[in-house]
């Protein structure tokens, strides 16, 4: 088969939106949020050259907290 890259994924996502009762996406918003938290935290940690202490609020879609806006979460003396 020919690999059409992200086109196939976007096509499947659009189909899922149009047909919510017959097709469910594997990567939900919660999964995507958790992936984003991990990536942003890694960036913050690398920039600060310190480990990061994760906050539960980062995984809450209703929260405004985010790794990049919470520099106080950097673990001191690590």
């Amino acid at each position: 088969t020919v690999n059409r890259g992200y086109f196939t994924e976007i096509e499947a996502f659009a189909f899922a939106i149009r047909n919510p009762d017959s097709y469910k996406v594997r990567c939900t918003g919660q999964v995507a949020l958790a992936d984003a938290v991990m990536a942003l935290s890694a960036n913050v940690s690398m920039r600060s050259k310190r480990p990061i202490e994760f906050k539960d609020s980062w995984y809450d879609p209703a929260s405004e907290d985010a790794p990049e806006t919470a520099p106080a979460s950097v673990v001191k003396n690590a």
Side-chain angles (χ1 to χ4, degrees):
T1 62
V2 175
N3 182 350
R4 299 184 302 161
Y6 287 111
F7 182 82
T8 303
E9 291 179 32
I10 294 169
E11 192 175 54
F13 181 66
F15 181 82
I17 291 170
R18 291 185 196 115
N19 303 284
D21 296 329
S22 64
Y23 186 82
K24 301 291 182 202
V25 294
R26 291 185 202 166
C27 181
T28 64
Q30 276 303 118
V31 173
L33 174 61
D35 290 347
V37 166
M38 298 304 290
L40 290 171
S41 299
N43 289 339
V44 171
S45 180
M46 287 186 283
R47 274 196 307 269
S48 66
K49 296 183 176 146
R50 295 176 187 241
I52 295 295
E53 184 177 315
F54 287 80
K55 294 183 176 183
D56 290 337
S57 61
W58 294 348
Y59 298 94
D60 179 2
S63 174
E64 293 290 324
D65 290 347
E68 289 190 334
T69 59
S73 65
V74 175
V75 177
K76 303 293 185 209
N77 300 322

